Amino acid sequence: MSDPTDNTTQEPEERIPAMQSLLDNPFLLLFIGVTMPTVFYIIWGIMEVVTLPVAP
């Protein structure tokens, strides 16, 4: 007799897509959410300082 809970015919594990594993990690999302705006604001600030005219 065949047991319905017998797992001898296992299917191969599906590979989790990279984007799904990225979006499933809340700490990585928090890190990206804090780091990206910080980097953009720093770059924006440097661009503003560079474009200021020289005082006479």
Side-chain angles (χ1 to χ4, degrees):
M1 229 189 217
S2 176
D3 186 10
T5 59
D6 188 17
N7 290 335
T8 56
T9 58
Q10 293 179 349
E11 296 179 14
E13 278 191 39
E14 287 188 41
R15 192 174 151 268
I16 298 175
M19 194 54 127
Q20 180 179 350
S21 61
L22 175 88
L23 294 175
D24 283 343
N25 189 342
F27 294 109
L28 186 59
L29 288 176
L30 176 67
F31 175 75
I32 291 171
V34 171
T35 304
M36 292 305 290
T38 303
V39 169
F40 285 133
Y41 277 122
I42 289 172
I43 292 171
W44 186 13
I46 291 171
M47 287 171 45
E48 288 289 324
V49 169
V50 167
T51 58
L52 282 176
V54 178

